[in-house]
Amino acid sequence: MDNCIFCKIIAGEIPSTKVYEDEKTYAFYDLNPQAKQHVLVVGKRHHNNIVEACEDSIDTVSACINTCTIVAKQLGIDKTGFRIVTNCGKDACQSVFHLHFHVIGGEKLSERMA
Ligand code: 5GP
Ligand code: ZN
């Protein structure tokens, strides 16, 4: 999709530090990490958010969740613990409107989630 920064990252038009890639998904380090480990997992097909993705392609959503666990194992945080977050819409402060999952860990995270 035009003017979507994550579509541009997937296409290699904007540089990113790749963590993992497969047919349906792409994972890369977040530019502004909120924990010692912070990776973004995106579907290669553009959806604005998780609601639209579930309506259009549950395959993309499940592939992203699977990739989150692959990334957690790759980062070595699958046993120590991690959080998967997707922000949807204004109240959740979503800032990039291409479905993405934050994989956050590598340290003790806040007990508070909101
Ligand atoms: P949201 O607020 O939409 O849930 O998350 C968007 C995330 O994308 C933020 O954590 C932000 O740091 C990250 N981000 C925004 N632009 C870029 C970029 O160009 N490169 C990378 N690697 N991360 C980005
Ligand atoms: Zn996009």
Side-chain angles (χ1 to χ4, degrees):
M1 177 180 250
D2 291 347
N3 285 327
C4 169
I5 52 172
F6 287 176
C7 280
K8 287 182 178 165
I9 283 175
I10 292 160
E13 292 162 15
I14 294 176
S16 65
T17 306
K18 178 164 95 173
V19 175
Y20 174 83
E21 181 175 17
D22 61 23
E23 189 194 336
K24 291 187 173 146
T25 68
Y26 184 74
F28 55 104
Y29 284 105
D30 196 292
L31 207 57
N32 291 301
Q34 296 194 21
K36 281 190 184 146
Q37 298 283 7
H38 188 166
V39 168
L40 298 174
V41 173
V42 298
K44 288 187 174 174
R45 196 160 151 179
H46 179 95
H47 297 96
N48 290 323
N49 57 46
I50 192 162
V51 174
E52 293 186 14
C54 284
E55 285 168 356
D56 179 63
S57 170
I58 196 69
D59 274 6
T60 300
V61 178
S62 54
C64 284
I65 297 295
N66 185 51
T67 293
C68 288
T69 69
I70 291 170
V71 165
K73 284 189 261 185
Q74 205 172 300
L75 298 175
I77 59 173
D78 55 311
K79 300 286 195 294
T80 50
F82 62 96
R83 199 167 272 162
I84 299 172
V85 174
T86 189
N87 293 319
C88 183
K90 185 163 57 75
D91 281 357
C93 305
Q94 183 180 2
S95 62
V96 177
F97 293 88
H98 178 128
L99 173 67
H100 54 281
F101 294 88
H102 301 257
V103 178
I104 304 162
E107 62 181 288
K108 178 80 175 162
L109 301 174
S110 166
E111 282 183 23
R112 197 171 148 74
M113 283 192 287

